[in-house]
């Protein structure tokens, strides 16, 4: 059945070994982030038998699938108050910034007779989650309240960068996190076990040997899956960018002009498209659409194919320049960037095939 996502488990394993070696060589523990492929169970088996330290996801549903795992489970997205009970059941650690939620987690953990660990998130300027780093009073008063809770352990601090504000982790901003950690340890005479210095966008600092001392954990999704660091978009040496590929089938192939005829309004998604006049071209329609992929983050392996556009269930390609004489029923292969991988594993219309 098509469309299907082909997962090359050997390449996944290679990327996992490489990223583990890279992160651990910097003195950090590694959390592998599984949300980019919706917690696929075959990939999970590889994680389970690896040297990684933690398995992390933004969705509790994925962590729940890993019931019985030997690794510690981490919830990345700030918990909803309404899911506090699930969080303490299925996650050992969660990332937090709101005292109300932390108190709810404490109550839920007490009911389960558990100690739930948290990382307190500090916002170093990316403006997604965390207490703003300049508000030290808020940081300290929050810590003070957390330390009163019997079923919560303040396990450490974390920061997330390059997600909303596209701020790049550097030695100077990550050092602020380390310093805040030291101040907390001193002021309250406690030990913070984890200072988690970000995601795949922090990896460039390892290669440059600029990761500040004191950062002792990284949370890695994209680099593991697609082989690139995400601060500057560079491929990492020895990694594969095609551990995941997409295959879809041609359902129409016709020569037509490249500019629509008649007055144009907006497309199926409310955008006003711009059409380049390429003359008469060979147009292939393949049976996959925006429900299954992000057309802007999909890359034909036949580099002479151009993606012209997409609607919910159709992707339109210009195959005029290709050396291959495509026919209806032929399969077209693509590499995927992050948002396409995310959608392809989320869509229930995309089959999966595993290459061993
Ligand atoms: C998604 C996410 C990550 C992983 O990011 P990558 O860029 O895929 O490595 C790490 N931390 C948090 C909080 C996340 O939400």
């Amino acid at each position: 059945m098509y469309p299907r996502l082909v997962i090359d488990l050997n390449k996944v394993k290679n990327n996992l070994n490489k990223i583990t070696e890279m992160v651990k060589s910097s003195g950090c523990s590694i959390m592998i982030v599984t949300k980019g492929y919706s917690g696929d169970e075959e990939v999970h088996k590889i994680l389970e038998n690896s040297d990684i330290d933690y398995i992390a996801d933004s969705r509790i549903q994925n962590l729940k699938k890993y019931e019985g795992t030997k690794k510690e489970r981490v919830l990345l997205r700030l918990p909803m108050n309404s899911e506090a009970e699930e969080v303490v059941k299925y996650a050992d650690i969660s990332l937090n910034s709101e005292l109300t939620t932390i108190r709810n987690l404490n109550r839920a953990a007490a009911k389960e007779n558990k100690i739930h660990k948290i990382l307190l998130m500090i916002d170093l300027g990316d403006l997604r989650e965390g207490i703003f780093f300049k508000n030290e009073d808020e940081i300290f008063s929050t810590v003070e309240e957390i330390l009163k809770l019997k079923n919560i352990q303040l396990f450490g601090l974390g920061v997330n960068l390059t997600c909303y504000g596209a701020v790049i982790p550097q030695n100077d901003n990550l050092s602020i996190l380390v310093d805040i950690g030291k101040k907390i340890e001193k002021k309250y005479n406690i030990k913070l076990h984890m200072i988690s210095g970000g995601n795949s966008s922090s990896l460039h600092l390892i290669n440059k040997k600029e990761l500040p001392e004191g950062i002792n954990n990284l949370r890695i999704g994209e680099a593991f899956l697609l082989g690139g660091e995400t601060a500057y978009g560079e491929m990492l040496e020895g990694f594969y960018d095609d551990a995941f590929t997409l295959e879809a089938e041609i359902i129409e192939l016709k020569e037509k002009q490249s500019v629509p005829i008649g007055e144009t309004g907006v497309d199926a998604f409310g955008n006003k498209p711009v059409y380049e006049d390429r003359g008469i071209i060979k147009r292939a329609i393949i049976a996959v659409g925006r429900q299954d992929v992000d057309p802007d983050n999909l890359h034909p392996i036949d580099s002479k194919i151009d993606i012209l556009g997409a609607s919910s269930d159709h992707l339109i390609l210009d195959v005029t320049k290709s050396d291959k004489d495509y026919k209806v029923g032929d399969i077209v292969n693509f590499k995927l960037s992050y948002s396409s991988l995310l959608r392809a594993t989320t869509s229930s219309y995309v089959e999966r095939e595993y290459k061993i």
Side-chain angles (χ1 to χ4, degrees):
M1 276 288 284
Y2 297 97
R4 68 182 183 194
L5 184 72
V6 180
I7 305 180
D8 185 323
L9 295 174
N10 274 321
K11 290 183 177 176
V12 169
K13 217 178 277 178
N14 171 84
N15 284 3
L16 184 66
N17 291 341
K18 290 270 171 196
I19 197 68
T20 305
E21 194 183 298
M22 180 177 181
V23 171
K24 290 205 170 183
S25 76
S26 74
C28 287
S29 63
I30 183 165
M31 264 180 213
I32 286 291
V33 176
T34 67
K35 68 187 187 208
Y37 57 94
S38 308
D40 178 270
E41 280 157 51
E42 292 303 315
V43 175
H44 177 68
K45 286 182 195 159
I46 296 176
L47 299 188
E48 199 57 34
N49 295 311
S50 71
D51 292 336
I52 67 163
D53 304 290
Y54 304 90
I55 291 182
D57 204 287
S58 49
R59 312 268 172 160
I60 202 74
Q61 290 93 332
N62 287 339
L63 295 182
K64 198 170 168 177
K65 288 199 265 184
Y66 311 146
E67 193 70 334
T69 171
K70 298 187 290 287
K71 313 289 178 189
E72 285 205 280
R73 287 180 285 183
V74 182
L75 181 67
L76 293 173
R77 186 170 66 186
L78 305 182
M80 296 180 259
N81 267 317
S82 56
E83 64 180 351
E85 288 178 11
E86 253 88 22
V87 174
V88 301
K89 250 189 222 151
Y90 302 115
D92 303 287
I93 304 175
S94 62
L95 278 43
N96 284 274
S97 68
E98 291 289 350
L99 210 42
T100 356
T101 312
I102 299 169
R103 288 194 178 114
N104 265 320
L105 291 172
N106 181 56
R107 272 191 288 273
K111 263 196 230 157
E112 292 275 320
N113 236 334
K114 275 187 175 171
I115 304 289
H116 182 75
K117 298 177 206 171
I118 65 167
L119 294 185
L120 185 63
M121 294 304 281
I122 307 294
D123 180 357
L124 297 180
D126 200 58
L127 303 183
R128 204 176 77 177
E129 72 273 50
I131 304 178
F132 197 57
F133 71 103
K134 290 186 180 166
N135 301 344
E136 287 209 343
D137 289 348
E138 186 186 349
I139 295 174
F140 289 135
S141 65
T142 305
V143 167
E144 239 161 79
E145 291 304 309
I146 293 170
L147 294 176
K148 290 179 192 161
L149 304 173
K150 289 205 171 63
N151 294 75
I152 295 289
Q153 180 191 1
L154 179 60
F155 194 61
L157 302 181
V159 64
N160 198 59
L161 291 161
T162 344
C163 269
Y164 171 74
V167 172
I168 292 178
Q170 298 291 5
N171 186 285
D172 55 2
N173 51 17
L174 289 186
S175 293
I176 297 174
L177 186 70
V178 174
D179 288 343
I180 293 172
K182 282 183 186 151
K183 281 186 197 163
I184 291 172
E185 287 186 325
K186 193 157 171 238
K187 193 167 157 97
Y188 300 102
N189 194 24
I190 56 171
K191 165 97 186 123
L192 295 177
H193 297 277
M194 183 179 284
I195 306 291
S196 185
N199 54 46
S200 297
S201 68
S202 293
L203 291 169
H204 73 103
L205 294 172
I206 295 182
N207 285 339
K208 295 178 190 149
K209 302 205 180 325
E210 288 176 10
L211 193 69
E213 199 171 317
I215 298 290
N216 65 6
N217 172 268
L218 294 177
R219 312 179 304 271
I220 306 295
E222 183 163 346
F224 155 54
L225 300 170
L226 299 171
E229 61 80 34
T230 56
Y232 302 100
E234 304 285 337
M235 272 302 288
L236 296 166
E237 219 181 288
F239 286 68
Y240 291 107
D241 66 353
D242 59 354
F244 299 83
T245 52
L246 184 86
E247 301 182 343
E249 184 172 336
I250 299 179
I251 52 172
E252 183 185 290
L253 201 144
K254 295 197 186 300
E255 293 203 354
K256 294 184 198 173
Q257 61 189 56
S258 36
V259 180
I261 299 175
E263 187 192 350
T264 56
V266 293
D267 68 13
F269 284 80
N271 304 309
K272 201 165 171 61
V274 186
Y275 301 97
E276 179 194 345
D277 190 357
R278 301 174 171 212
I280 300 288
I281 53 172
K282 238 200 261 175
R283 305 167 69 92
I285 301 179
I286 60 172
V288 68
R290 288 186 189 273
Q291 190 164 3
D292 318 294
V293 288
D294 171 6
D296 297 327
N297 284 288
L298 196 63
H299 316 285
I301 291 177
D302 177 345
S303 61
K304 292 181 177 166
I305 293 180
D306 290 326
I307 297 176
L308 295 176
S311 54
S312 308
D313 311 296
H314 300 79
L315 195 70
I316 302 167
L317 309 176
D318 177 356
V319 299
T320 316
K321 295 198 208 94
S322 177
D323 301 324
K324 189 173 162 179
D325 187 20
Y326 286 99
K327 303 228 168 358
V328 169
D330 281 352
I331 303 303
V332 185
N333 304 303
F334 300 86
K335 289 188 196 178
L336 308 100
S337 315
Y338 192 78
S339 59
S340 274
L341 180 58
L342 192 68
R343 268 194 225 175
T345 53
T346 304
S347 168
S348 57
Y349 304 102
V350 178
E351 303 280 318
R352 288 184 208 174
E353 173 169 294
Y354 301 95
K355 257 187 14 199
I356 307 163

